[in-house]
């Protein structure tokens, strides 16, 4: 094998594939990446047996071939080279030779035949989504996931497809987030799949502002996410995601519109005095168009504040919430104003903005 490429291009591709490579003493080959020529490009692959990443590098191919080398070694070396052309080649001893200006190095490799096969998905189930909308949805939903050993179906994001509508949701049973997206292709499907949180984190990490459309292909057990010259292949989580849609409140006994930044600032300030269970009291005052927030800690003291609502209607409530969860839900809203709704003392708080399809609900800690 022999090819010539730009150092910066190679660096970018290695940094993409390297992130899922972790030290594995039982299967040392998983510490490696696979470099192989593929027509007029170079294919760089990595896997941890649950997620596989394939990235294609533009290069001048002079000789076909392949080799598997330690990911951390080659990534660190290429990252430290000066920007210039790089020549990579192999010999019969499974050694990767790298040349760039005054630098020359040899990296001991392994026969590429020993590298695990990253499965291909053959399916007509194909979704096209705007990259930036998917990126925003993942960012809004990913932190809700709290990996669990028993309810493994909650360890990922639920993608629910019905014709051109895609609903993405995540929950840890005490809170839930949902985003509604519209697909860019006509597809006659009514299906649900659960993509692991680690896979979603990798998608979020790799996506950039220049990406256009994302293709998602899936079968019963696996999913592939494709964009630009990158492909992420992952297993799906087996299980039934909770039927959550009936839990989302449809009507409210209290609702208000509140400036987001003022609400975030108030929660951050008052929560300094929260107790060990991270509780914050939320009290509504419809007559005065106010939301009152307060925290009390027997060891350090107490704090309270009032926020003016632009609108406030309905009954008054006094409820307790986990301030960290409340804050995360509000911060993920892409708007200057927040809609806040309460249905009853026992039902979840409802939050949403006006610029996107993000909804967030949070169960109260206790009734006062």
């Amino acid at each position: 094998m022999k090819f010539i490429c730009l150092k910066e291009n190679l660096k970018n591709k290695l940094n993409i594939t390297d992130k899922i490579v972790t030290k594995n003493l039982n299967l040392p080959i998983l510490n490696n990446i696979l470099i192989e020529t593929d027509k007029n490009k170079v294919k760089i692959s990595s896997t941890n047996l649950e997620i596989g990443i394939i990235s294609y590098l533009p290069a001048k191919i002079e000789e076909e071939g392949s080799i598997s080398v330690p990911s951390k070694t080659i990534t660190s070396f290429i990252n430290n080279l000066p920007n210039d052309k790089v020549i990579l080649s192999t010999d019969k001893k499974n050694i990767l030779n790298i040349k760039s200006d005054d630098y020359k190095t040899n990296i001991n490799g392994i026969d590429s035949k020993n590298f695990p096969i990253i499965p291909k998905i053959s399916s007509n189930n194909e979704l096209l989504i705007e990259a930036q909308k998917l990126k925003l949805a993942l960012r809004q939903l990913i932190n809700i996931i709290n990996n669990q050993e028993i309810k493994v179906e909650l360890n990922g994001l639920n993608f629910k497809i019905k014709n051109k509508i895609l609903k993405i949701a995540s929950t840890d049973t005490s809170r839930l987030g949902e985003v509604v997206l519209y697909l860019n292709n006509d597809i006659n499907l009514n299906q649900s799949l659960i993509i692991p949180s680690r896979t979603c984190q990798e998608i979020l990490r790799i996506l950039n502002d220049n990406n256009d459309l994302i293709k998602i292909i899936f079968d019963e057990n696996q999913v592939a996410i494709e964009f630009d010259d990158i492909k992420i292949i992952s297993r799906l989580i087996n299980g039934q995601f909770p039927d959550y849609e009936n839990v989302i409140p449809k009507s409210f006994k209290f609702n208000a519109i509140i400036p987001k930044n003022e609400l975030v600032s108030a929660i951050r300030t008052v929560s300094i005095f929260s107790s060990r269970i991270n509780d914050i009291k939320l009290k509504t005052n419809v007559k005065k168009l106010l939301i009152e927030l307060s925290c009390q800690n027997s060891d350090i003291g107490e704090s309270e504040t009032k926020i003016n609502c632009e609108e406030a209607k309905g009954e008054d409530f006094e409820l307790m919430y986990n301030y960290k969860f409340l804050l995360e839900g509000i911060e993920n809203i892409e708007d200057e104003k927040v809609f806040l709704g309460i249905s009853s003392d026992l039902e979840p708080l409802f939050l949403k903005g006006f610029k996107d399809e993000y909804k967030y609900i949070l169960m109260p800690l206790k009734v006062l």
Side-chain angles (χ1 to χ4, degrees), residues 37-41 61 64:
T37 56
D38 187 357
K39 298 180 181 178
N40 62 339
K41 293 184 178 181
I61 311 296
E64 301 286 343

Side-chain angles (χ1 to χ4, degrees), residues 74-114:
I74 185 171
T75 302
S76 297
F77 180 76
I78 295 298
N79 282 344
N80 285 291
L81 284 178
N83 287 333
D84 207 339
K85 291 182 179 179
V86 183
I87 303 172
L88 290 87
S89 61
T90 58
D91 57 27
K92 296 180 180 179
K93 299 177 181 178
N94 284 320
I95 294 176
L96 178 65
N97 314 118
I98 303 176
K99 296 179 182 179
S100 177
D101 282 345
D102 297 329
Y103 289 88
K104 180 180 178 181
T105 190
N106 297 325
I107 299 177
N108 294 333
I110 299 175
D111 194 319
S112 59
K113 294 178 182 178
N114 296 318

Side-chain angles (χ1 to χ4, degrees), residues 255-269:
N255 65 79
I257 297 175
I258 312 163
K260 174 187 170 181
N261 291 339
E262 292 180 27
L263 186 55
V264 167
S265 177
I267 295 171
R268 284 178 177 168
T269 304

Side-chain angles (χ1 to χ4, degrees), residues 314-361:
E315 305 174 14
D316 283 329
F317 286 88
E318 189 172 336
L319 296 165
M320 197 82 76
Y321 298 96
N322 180 309
Y323 85 83
K324 290 185 177 180
F325 292 169
L326 180 60
L327 190 60
E328 281 185 6
I330 296 167
E331 287 180 325
N332 281 331
I333 292 173
E334 291 286 306
D335 207 332
E336 296 176 355
K337 299 176 183 180
V338 173
F339 175 89
L340 184 151
I342 300 173
S343 299
S344 74
D345 293 341
L346 301 176
E347 292 184 70
L349 178 78
F350 178 91
L351 296 166
K352 74 178 294 292
F354 299 92
K355 289 184 178 178
D356 59 33
E357 295 291 335
Y358 170 71
K359 300 172 186 175
Y360 183 85
I361 66 171

